[in-house]
Amino acid sequence: MQLAMFRRVAAGGAVAALTFAGVGAATMSPAYAASSKVSVVHGIPDTPVDVYVNGEKTLDNFKPGDVAGPLTLPEGEYDIALTKPGEAIDKAILKVDDAAVPGGANISLAAHLSADGKPLITPFVNDVSKVGAGKARLIVRHTAAAPAVDVRAGGKPVFENLTNPKEAKADVAAGTVKADVVLAGTDTVAIGPADLNLKEGTATIVYAIGSADGKNLDLVAQTIGGLHSAPGGVPSGTGGQAGTGVDTWWYVLAGAGVLLLVGGGARAATARAGRR
Amino acid sequence: MTVRHRGALAAMAAGATALTLAGVVACGSEAAEDVGGDEVAALASATTTPTTMPAASASGSVPVNAGTLPAGSEIVPPVKLSIPPIRVTASVNPVGVNERTDEFEVPPSVDQVGWYRYGPGLEADSGSVVIAGHVDSAEQGKGAFFRLRELDRGDTLTATGSDGAERRYRVVAREEYRKSKIPLDRYFARDGRPRLTLITCGGPFDAKTRNYRDNIVVTAVPA
């Protein structure tokens, strides 16, 4: 049941990763929300870095597998640079200039390897819409130097043929699933299996990182909370013994009482008058 | 005294009885007035220290977490609820949402009540712990929360957690809402001050659909 739903959503749910310039177009930003929440995910193995935003060191010795943020960044354009720890910004190993951060969005910047093993930064817009009561959102992002993969839960493929740097997502029943990553269309396990605790009302974002050639494929997770909804209602009584509204029959009884009193009174009066 | 006269008096007596009875029922069925609604709104909107990562500015220090896969967190479910003023002692079952109706899955057995397992447990330092129970059922009669609407401000109750610890609460509000109007987001909130929310049915009963029109909501805070 859960797996069926996984697959149904997964078919249409693979969202192309956006180029930096594309982020602005993809997210409609309400006028009142001028800033965005931005997280940074480190998915380049063996390469701790310092992160500079607009020339200012924002993260010191940021380690592979770590997730930083969220930062609240006002809408605008940013220069982002990664250096080896302690090195000057002009020796940056990775740089993105004029990256557009739209207003009112929730964004993850993933520093990771391309399919052919080159370091790059890919921005993802996180789906932070509410999930239904009892549900959790699972988002999987292929950010590893590896070919297309399938993501399986309980041994069954739920997201198929996912390629770098794309994502697939689904809202599923909250709870724990045993997940692994296999080469697309095969049973060759690339990562896992791992237990994923999908907490109700959260989005769990799992990044496949590392390199197949380097034999250091791994998973990094980011969780976004506060997406829960209340249940539709609380039905908690079918007996009627505690009903507070006055039932119609009591009105009928009261009416009958009035009639009897008036009628009886009238008869008594006429009887008395007759005797006189 | 004529027969006719006697009949008239009997009719008057029957009429008086019927009127009195209907009057007593009407008075007894009066819904209790809401108390403490403002307090509930204040509890819900109060800001507490966020349990999630705080947002940081670009220049300030940025929180960094190891991106390990999420593990289950330590939650203390309530297992027993005791409300001495209305003589309630009930087992508490962890429940979720009915898949078909999307509604709170109140335990079918009316002498048991259900804790919303997706929301906070007793350990939480913010948000609303929700326990709902039947007021009654057509088949089983009176439920654990039959007298919930009799609770008043200042009444105390005790919830026992799976860790064995008893936690005392003090009632601060009792409200009645039409089911179509109840602000469920407020009662199922995971933020705001820590509080215990008890919910059952009440108000006029529709005998045809076998449904109560309203929900009774009692809010209590740690005593």
Side-chain angles (χ1 to χ4, degrees):
Chain A
M1 159 79 216
Q2 187 175 324
L3 295 181
M5 173 153 57
F6 250 118
R7 195 166 308 122
R8 195 166 61 241
V9 182
V15 174
L18 299 148
T19 64
F20 242 97
V23 175
T27 51
M28 297 303 292
S29 47
Y32 56 85
S35 53
S36 278
K37 294 236 187 298
V38 179
S39 300
V40 186
V41 178
H42 193 336
I44 304 173
D46 308 323
T47 316
V49 294
D50 290 347
V51 178
Y52 287 83
V53 176
N54 286 346
E56 199 178 332
K57 193 193 276 187
T58 305
L59 291 170
D60 190 45
N61 197 18
F62 186 40
K63 294 196 173 57
D66 281 0
V67 178
L71 294 93
T72 301
L73 293 184
E75 177 176 1
E77 296 190 333
Y78 293 86
D79 296 342
I80 295 167
L82 308 186
T83 67
K84 285 183 179 164
E87 285 201 347
I89 190 168
D90 58 4
K91 289 189 181 163
I93 51 175
L94 192 54
K95 249 178 82 170
V96 179
D97 285 341
D98 301 327
V101 170
N106 190 311
I107 296 169
S108 291
L109 303 179
H112 67 102
L113 298 176
S114 67
D116 52 7
K118 293 193 182 68
L120 80 164
I121 294 177
T122 302
F124 292 94
V125 175
N126 302 320
D127 181 354
V128 291
S129 59
K130 298 278 183 191
V131 296
K135 296 281 194 289
R137 181 168 299 138
L138 174 61
I139 302 172
V140 180
R141 292 175 178 162
H142 187 332
T143 51
V149 296
D150 295 341
V151 178
R152 306 190 301 183
K156 298 241 170 63
V158 289
F159 302 129
E160 290 182 282
N161 212 22
L162 189 61
T163 55
N164 184 329
K166 291 185 178 165
E167 71 168 19
K169 60 176 179 173
D171 288 2
V172 301
T176 301
V177 293
K178 191 176 276 296
D180 62 5
V181 177
V182 296
L183 297 179
T186 74
D187 287 324
T188 310
V189 176
I191 311 176
D195 280 337
L196 281 183
N197 184 292
L198 305 175
K199 191 168 183 290
E200 199 258 1
T202 68
T204 300
I205 307 169
V206 181
Y207 301 82
I209 63 157
S211 147
D213 287 346
K215 298 203 184 314
N216 53 8
L217 290 174
D218 204 353
L219 299 175
V220 174
Q222 175 192 2
T223 304
I224 300 173
L227 312 184
H228 58 275
S229 306
V234 185
S236 44
T238 56
Q241 287 192 62
T244 51
V246 179
D247 200 90
T248 324
W249 292 109
W250 293 110
Y251 288 111
V252 173
L253 184 64
V258 170
L259 283 177
L260 281 169
L261 265 180
V262 172
R267 281 180 78 106
T270 51
R272 211 171 295 136
R275 241 185 311 151
R276 207 176 281 152
Chain B
M1 190 179 279
T2 63
V3 174
R4 192 179 172 202
H5 192 187
R6 213 177 298 147
L9 284 179
M12 285 175 76
T17 310
L19 251 187
T20 312
L21 196 56
V24 165
V25 166
C27 292
S29 306
E30 193 89 351
E33 236 175 275
D34 286 6
V35 289
D38 293 347
E39 202 149 340
V40 175
L43 286 169
S45 62
T47 49
T48 52
T49 43
T51 51
T52 50
M53 292 182 293
S57 70
S59 52
S61 68
V62 181
V64 177
N65 286 11
T68 46
L69 298 179
S73 45
E74 293 297 318
I75 293 176
V76 179
V79 295
K80 202 183 102 183
L81 182 67
S82 166
I83 319 176
I86 56 171
R87 295 196 185 147
V88 167
T89 308
S91 305
V92 185
N93 296 323
V95 297
V97 174
N98 184 295
E99 276 205 16
R100 192 175 48 81
T101 63
D102 190 38
E103 292 181 318
F104 193 107
E105 192 98 79
V106 180
S109 177
V110 300
D111 57 355
Q112 303 189 350
V113 294
W115 161 68
Y116 191 60
R117 63 187 168 93
Y118 298 130
L122 296 180
E123 85 297 338
D125 53 13
S126 64
S128 169
V129 178
V130 184
I131 296 177
H134 276 102
V135 63
D136 64 4
S137 101
E139 299 81 19
Q140 302 170 61
K142 291 180 183 178
F145 279 178
F146 189 78
R147 295 175 62 196
L148 195 69
R149 65 184 164 121
E150 295 173 28
L151 282 177
D152 210 341
R153 288 165 67 94
D155 286 342
T156 57
L157 53 120
T158 306
T160 309
S162 60
D163 56 0
E166 293 187 349
R167 293 157 177 89
R168 272 165 52 83
Y169 292 85
R170 176 174 48 84
V171 173
V172 295
R174 179 195 61 235
E175 300 164 281
E176 180 167 340
Y177 288 100
R178 282 177 186 254
K179 284 176 178 171
S180 55
K181 299 261 171 66
I182 181 171
L184 287 169
D185 285 342
R186 176 183 298 172
Y187 299 110
F188 287 87
R190 298 180 192 174
D191 53 5
R193 302 289 283 277
R195 54 206 190 272
L196 176 62
T197 304
L198 308 177
I199 306 178
T200 192
C201 279
F205 185 75
D206 184 333
K208 274 196 216 87
T209 61
R210 301 219 68 79
N211 270 319
Y212 287 94
R213 188 192 69 185
D214 300 345
N215 275 127
I216 309 282
V217 187
V218 168
T219 303
V221 296

